[in-house]
Every structure is written in C-alpha cells, then in structure tokens.
Amino acid sequence: EDKVVQSPLSLVVHEGDTVTLNCSYEVTNFRSLLWYKQEKKAPTFLFMLTSSGIEKKSGRLSSILDKKELFSILNITATQTGDSAIYLCAVVVTNAGKSTFGDGTTLTVKP
Amino acid sequence: DADVTQTPRNRITKTGKRIMLECSQTKGHDRMYWYRQDPGLGLRLIYYSFDVKDINKGEISDGYSVSRQAQAKFSLSLESAIPNQTALYFCATSDYLTDTQYFGPGTRLTVL
C-alpha cells in the first residue's frame, strides 16, 4: 500500500521566520511528487518534482526531492501571514495516474 | 469562469437520503477524480476515471458510486447517506501529460 507521511502536522511561526515542511513516502514505481497549497478553498498547485537534487523555486518557496532517501522538503523563507494554509504533498506512481496524498501540514503565520 | 465547477457548494441532508454531487470541467482533461477531506486527514480518493468508459475505485469507495456522463462531467452519488459521510468533497481533473491536478471549489456535505 502506498504511503505518504507529512511532518509536522501543524506549525505556528511568526512573520519573517523560515519554515521547512517534510514529506516522506513509501510507494512502488514512483513517478512524481507534488506540493499543493490549500487556503480556505481548493488546493492549488505549487511544485512538481521528478528528479533528485534539482531545486524548484518560486519566490520565497522552494522544494527539493531525494529519491534515494524517499523524501521531499518544502521551504518557505521570510514567511508572511498570507502563507498560512494547509500544505499537501502527493505522490503519483507510474501507470496508476492517481495521487496518494499525505495528511497535510497546517501552517499558521502570526503577525 | 472557473475551469472546474461543483454543485451544490453546500448541502445538508438527513440519514438515508440519496445525494448526488456534480462536477463539470472546461479544461478538456480526460482524467477526473473525487476526493473527500476530513479535518487532519488530507485528501482521500473515492473514485477516479481516465475516460468515459473507465471508472476505478479509490481507497474509500464503499458507500459511494459515480457516473461519468461525458468527458466533462463526473458525478458522485451517496445512495443512502450516513453521518460519517459528512465531509468536504473535491472534484479534480488532470490530463495524461502531467500529474498536476486542478481542483473544484468543493462541496461541504453535512449528513444529520
């Protein structure tokens, strides 16, 4: 059974802090790992990672994948209150086309 | 206009009632998915469909059924709703070239 575990489950920080969110997985036939951000509505896509060691970056957010150790991290620098959300990690396996999601990390950024 | 729409957005019903949640998309994607989200449990896959003739069970399909009426429409039914089906339900789409999924706004269902 495919498994995706995110940690921590929740995190409270202050504006300006840097945070690291973790996603580990145990799947057969890995194809890709995706990060989504969910505010009080539908999840929206952040990054898709398929190769180890290649950082994806968008503004203050960045992510990297380690296919040997089977994990990914999502970094957010200089956090803002608008970063408060649930961050979801999902893994797609080859030939299945469907995603297995972790339980998410709830990030709260206080002013 | 939104690319993925869901109706209704909110629904309160009683135990034993039949409920249908509808999803439509204008993205032209072949693949469609239904998920439920409970607090602290991320998204769990109920059913998914890769084309009109292809329907597959997800990890929590018991108590649910689906219909893929057209490439753009995928509906989820609860034949006899029960209180533990109270949740937020999302429809999503993707195409075969990318694993990125695009989500509808969600339907908040309460079963009393």
Side-chain angles (χ1 to χ4, degrees):
Chain A
E1 182 180 339
D2 297 334
K3 189 175 179 182
V4 178
V5 178
Q6 293 186 243
S7 63
L9 293 181
S10 65
L11 189 57
V12 180
V13 300
H14 287 92
E15 275 191 317
D17 289 348
T18 293
V19 298
T20 298
L21 310 183
N22 303 288
C23 176
S24 63
Y25 60 91
E26 294 177 25
V27 302
T28 53
N29 301 316
F30 173 90
R31 171 168 150 143
S32 65
L33 184 146
L34 297 96
W35 285 96
Y36 294 87
K37 178 182 181 181
Q38 184 180 19
E39 297 172 89
K40 292 186 183 297
K41 48 188 178 180
T44 54
F45 171 76
L46 291 174
F47 298 113
M48 184 170 76
L49 304 156
T50 57
S51 301
S52 279
I54 299 175
E55 185 182 54
K56 293 284 183 85
K57 195 170 174 66
S58 176
R60 295 176 294 103
L61 280 65
S62 63
S63 184
I64 198 162
L65 174 67
D66 186 328
K67 291 170 71 174
K68 181 179 178 183
E69 299 298 329
L70 308 183
F71 76 93
S72 173
I73 60 173
L74 174 68
N75 280 319
I76 308 175
T77 59
T79 52
Q80 302 172 357
T81 55
D83 295 326
S84 295
I86 299 172
Y87 290 85
L88 296 164
C89 171
V91 173
V92 181
V93 299
T94 305
N95 298 326
K98 62 183 178 72
S99 301
T100 298
F101 282 81
D103 288 340
T105 293
T106 300
L107 174 66
T108 302
V109 181
K110 293 188 171 182
Chain B
D1 287 341
D3 294 320
V4 185
T5 58
Q6 292 183 232
T7 56
R9 295 292 308 278
N10 290 282
R11 182 73 184 266
I12 300 173
T13 191
K14 293 183 179 180
T15 298
K17 295 291 187 181
R18 183 178 188 275
I19 297 296
M20 179 180 286
L21 309 183
E22 298 185 332
C23 177
S24 295
Q25 53 112 348
T26 58
K27 298 189 74 68
H29 289 166
D30 290 325
R31 300 181 173 190
M32 299 186 74
Y33 310 81
W34 275 106
Y35 294 93
R36 68 176 278 175
Q37 187 175 37
D38 299 276
L41 289 181
L43 296 173
R44 291 186 290 167
L45 183 63
I46 306 172
Y47 272 94
Y48 61 105
S49 169
F50 286 173
D51 65 42
V52 175
K53 296 182 181 179
D54 178 77
I55 303 288
N56 303 281
K57 291 183 177 181
E59 56 185 304
I60 55 163
S61 59
D62 287 349
Y64 302 93
S65 63
V66 291
S67 174
R68 184 82 184 265
Q69 301 94 324
Q71 186 203 35
K73 296 184 182 296
F74 192 35
S75 59
L76 176 72
S77 294
L78 289 67
E79 296 300 324
S80 179
I82 56 177
N84 76 0
Q85 291 177 314
T86 294
L88 184 56
Y89 290 84
F90 286 106
C91 173
T93 74
S94 68
D95 68 28
Y96 70 97
L97 293 174
T98 174
D99 296 330
T100 303
Q101 295 189 11
Y102 298 86
F103 289 84
T107 294
R108 187 166 296 281
L109 176 66
T110 302
V111 183
L112 302 176

